[in-house]
Amino acid sequence: MSDHKVTALVTGASAGLGAEFCRQLAQRCDVIIAVARRPDRLEALAQELAGSAEVHVLEADLGTVEGVTRTMEMLRQKGPVDFLVNNAGFSTFGNFSDLAIDSQRDMVSLHVDAAITLCRAAIPFMEELGAGTVINVSSLAALAPGKGLAVYGAAKAFLNYYSQALQAELSGTGIEVQALCPGYIRTEFHDSMSKAGVDRERVPPQMWMDAGEVVSESLAALGSGQVIVVPGEDNRAMARMAMEQQAALLQ
């Protein structure tokens, strides 16, 4: 009998979607590796999930080489992982030419560099297992470009393309890749953007989703063969409209 423990590694796990992924995956997994920058939040999450799964927490800033290296070492020690959820992220808001370049580069480093590095570390072990799941948390902004989100949306668009190409490369291996593209979520994510001028009140109430709903739709889509997953019917309608507009540009 195999002694393999079904394991998930979730980044950005201290709040919002990351914490919710940990909660819902704890019902599917034996081990949860929760990675984030806030150790107090991670410890609280570990206590919450103690009766559901074996939880290992790692304080790490994935925007740094040190943080990524420490996370890969945790993966090596506690893995292999069956689920990799690349969720850590942030966004600035404002015209590109008005924003500090460092914050824009930091977004690319976190959303792109950290995600592909962790994928490269995890996937060979998944190939040995003959199964695995990679969920790259993207955004509706990757499908519907908008002012104030130039670099954020572009970084998320990279994740969409990367996830689709990666799934094609891994066809037949038993590994599934998903790019999750949520819209507005009731989490702390928009706090910093509100300070930069984003008016939450202008967003129609039906466009907001709870983190639990988003994660449930993500996990429910596994096994469907769908790589790009947009949770919420209103968000899917917006995505279809945006893609139609993009297609019109090619005519």
Side-chain angles (χ1 to χ4, degrees):
M1 176 180 289
S2 172
D3 60 357
H4 173 67
K5 293 182 178 180
V6 179
T7 302
L9 187 152
V10 181
T11 69
S14 61
L17 282 184
E20 190 59 33
F21 264 112
C22 290
R23 293 185 184 102
Q24 294 194 29
L25 285 172
Q27 307 306 313
R28 301 183 178 211
C29 299
D30 302 303
V31 179
I32 300 292
I33 304 170
V35 183
R37 294 179 300 169
R38 295 179 287 188
D40 54 334
R41 296 282 192 93
L42 290 174
E43 291 298 340
L45 181 67
Q47 291 179 19
E48 176 188 341
L49 301 180
S52 302
E54 176 185 328
V55 182
H56 301 277
V57 301
L58 175 65
E59 178 188 357
D61 182 353
L62 287 166
T64 67
V65 173
E66 178 190 8
V68 173
T69 301
R70 292 179 62 216
T71 303
M72 289 196 296
E73 178 60 20
M74 176 68 88
L75 187 154
R76 186 188 68 81
Q77 291 181 8
K78 302 299 182 182
V81 296
D82 301 82
F83 293 86
L84 170 63
V85 181
N86 284 310
N87 168 71
F90 73 96
S91 178
T92 58
F93 181 77
N95 290 336
F96 173 74
S97 59
D98 296 331
L99 299 171
I101 191 62
D102 286 349
S103 62
Q104 309 306 300
R105 292 172 59 87
D106 287 345
M107 274 195 291
V108 174
S109 177
L110 180 58
H111 296 154
V112 175
D113 294 349
I116 65 173
T117 301
L118 293 182
C119 283
R120 182 61 182 84
I123 286 173
F125 294 106
M126 291 181 179
E127 289 178 313
E128 289 183 12
L129 290 172
T133 300
V134 175
I135 300 175
N136 293 316
V137 177
S138 180
S139 171
L140 186 61
L143 302 171
K147 294 180 179 179
L149 298 170
V151 174
Y152 175 80
K156 294 301 191 179
F158 171 92
L159 287 179
N160 286 7
Y161 184 101
Y162 169 69
S163 297
Q164 291 177 92
L166 188 59
Q167 181 64 90
E169 292 181 4
L170 294 172
S171 177
T173 65
I175 301 172
E176 185 169 3
V177 184
Q178 180 187 112
L180 176 64
C181 299
Y184 292 98
I185 313 172
R186 296 182 185 93
T187 67
E188 301 171 10
F189 180 83
H190 288 94
D191 288 353
S192 61
M193 295 176 69
S194 293
K195 295 175 183 177
V198 174
D199 184 0
R200 300 189 196 198
E201 298 302 318
R202 297 184 64 182
V203 180
Q206 67 271 19
M207 297 297 295
W208 290 95
M209 296 183 69
D210 292 324
E213 296 177 276
V214 173
V215 173
S216 291
E217 287 203 30
S218 169
L219 298 181
L222 295 177
S224 68
Q226 186 178 1
V227 178
I228 304 297
V229 173
V230 180
E233 185 51 47
D234 289 298
N235 290 328
R236 286 190 285 273
M238 182 177 290
R240 287 191 292 268
M241 184 183 302
M243 288 187 285
E244 289 171 1
Q245 292 174 345
Q246 292 294 314
L249 297 176
L250 301 177
Q251 295 179 359

